[in-house]
Amino acid sequence: MGEGDPEGVEGAGFSSNFPRQPGPDALAGARAAAAPSTASRSPSPARGGGSKSALPMDEPVGRSRGVFAVLASPPVLWLVVFFLVPLSIIWAYSFGQNISLTRIAVDGSLGNYAHALRPLYLGIIGKSLWFAAVTTLLCLIVGFPVAVAISFASPRTKAWLLLLVMLPFWTNLLIRTYALMAVLRTEGYVNALLGFGWKGLAALAALVGLHMPPFTPLELLHNDFAVVFGLVYVQLPFMVLPLYAALDRLDRSLIEASLDLGSGHLTAFARVVIPLATPGIISGVLVTLIPSIGAYLTPDLLGGPSSMMIANVIERQFKAADDWPFGAALSFLLMYLTFAAMAAQAFAGRRRRSA
């Protein structure tokens, strides 16, 4: 090709813009050069004979199990030493009897449980169950509309409403109970407000020539009403939060579809909202019912002699009567009832899932 040949110049310019394809010899050399690096990345056989090498992912899994064991050991040890072991000792005491002021003989007797089934203690257990059932029902009636209002509120309003629900947890139960006593006592805020209203009505009646008797303060403290009111006051947040958790996951399109199909708001609430919120209702009932059965502080401060619950009897057996075996039997009888309620809830949930 000469310098003045135009076709040669164009061919040279075309070949300079596009790289040449490698020939067969160049490809073979590249493969040979890449072979050692590939072999270096392959797993080497295990030392010491024909045993298979571990997979690369086994080491991270084993390390994570070790970390989990290290992190779980302190709380498990704490649970065993300070909960399970003392609980086992109290359970063993329930099968024993006092042989002196400081010694208990564990002989496997069921006399304490037989004594706990006497009509007197069965009546106290029944009253405790009744108080707990009424408390749970009232918490459900009051808490369900509150949970619905929170779940359907705007995000900013929802945060403030949840804060108001959880605000009582920031205050000690004893302080809250004493504050409630200040509200319900004879000279408390409720009676003061009622007395002020009564005086206004008496003044209006005097203008028309009528005479009204003086105001008599209501007995709102140291009775069954005060115990139930205090239990509702304490347990209401425990009902609202599970209900809110269930309602917040509710598919709103189902409610809209039921309304579009002609059902009213009450019908949609009864046939759509309540069935879908059933898991939250069951959780709230259990979380409210079980602590209410074993409530001690509320009936002790707000109740009277006829408002004693089973936890107060257990406390007196351990302290005033110094009868630890019988107190232990009453405690575990209450625990057996709790386990029965939890088993019934689990059985009902299994039947509902299988249906």
Side-chain angles (χ1 to χ4, degrees), residues 136 238-239 280-292 338 341-346:
T136 304
F238 295 100
M239 177 65 76
I281 294 174
I282 295 175
S283 300
V285 166
L286 284 179
V287 172
T288 305
L289 180 67
I290 293 174
S292 298
T338 303
M342 296 174 64
Q345 187 269 341

Side-chain angles (χ1 to χ4, degrees), residues 5-290:
D5 190 354
E7 295 181 0
V9 175
E10 294 177 1
F14 182 81
S15 63
S16 63
N17 293 333
F18 292 87
R20 295 182 179 180
Q21 296 293 332
D25 297 337
L27 292 174
R31 293 193 184 100
S37 61
T38 305
S40 64
R41 291 194 299 267
S42 61
S44 58
R47 296 181 181 179
S51 61
K52 294 183 180 180
S53 61
L55 294 175
M57 62 183 303
D58 287 348
E59 185 176 355
V61 171
R63 187 182 297 113
S64 64
R65 290 176 179 174
V67 171
F68 175 77
V70 171
L71 294 177
S73 297
V76 170
L77 182 63
W78 181 278
L79 180 67
V80 170
V81 174
F82 294 102
F83 179 72
L84 293 181
V85 172
L87 194 66
S88 301
I89 294 174
I90 297 298
W91 181 73
Y93 282 170
S94 67
F95 298 98
Q97 57 182 345
N98 288 327
I99 58 176
S100 67
L101 292 177
T102 58
R103 294 181 59 189
I104 298 175
V106 180
D107 53 5
S109 173
L110 296 177
N112 294 313
Y113 288 98
H115 185 56
L117 295 177
R118 292 174 58 187
L120 173 64
Y121 300 106
L122 287 179
I124 297 176
I125 293 175
K127 180 179 290 187
S128 302
L129 293 175
W130 170 250
F131 282 167
V134 173
T135 300
T136 304
L137 180 61
L138 292 176
C139 287
L140 182 61
I141 294 174
V142 177
F144 202 95
V146 174
V148 171
I150 296 176
S151 61
F152 282 90
S154 62
R156 185 174 181 180
T157 306
K158 183 184 299 184
W160 283 105
L161 292 176
L162 286 175
L163 179 64
L164 292 177
V165 171
M166 292 184 291
L167 195 61
F169 295 128
W170 299 358
T171 308
N172 186 270
L173 177 60
L174 182 62
I175 297 176
R176 285 185 283 152
T177 306
Y178 275 115
L180 192 61
M181 293 174 64
V183 173
L184 298 178
R185 64 183 180 177
T186 306
E187 300 84 9
Y189 299 114
V190 174
N191 280 314
L193 183 61
L194 293 176
F196 180 78
W198 188 270
K199 289 180 180 179
L201 291 177
L204 293 176
L207 294 177
V208 296
L210 297 178
H211 175 71
M212 293 182 62
F215 174 73
T216 302
L218 300 178
E219 295 293 335
L220 302 177
L221 202 58
H222 303 305
N223 50 34
D224 293 351
F225 167 79
V227 173
V228 174
F229 189 85
L231 289 175
V232 171
Y233 169 71
V234 171
Q235 302 296 335
L236 185 59
F238 295 100
M239 177 65 76
V240 172
L241 293 178
L243 291 175
Y244 162 74
L247 292 171
D248 193 52
R249 298 191 300 264
L250 192 65
D251 189 359
R252 311 291 173 84
S253 61
L254 298 176
I255 303 176
E256 296 174 357
S258 64
L259 295 176
D260 292 339
L261 292 175
S263 63
H265 288 82
L266 292 179
T267 304
F269 182 81
R271 296 190 177 184
V272 177
V273 176
I274 292 180
L276 293 177
T278 300
I281 294 174
I282 295 175
S283 300
V285 166
L286 284 179
V287 172
T288 305
L289 180 67
I290 293 174

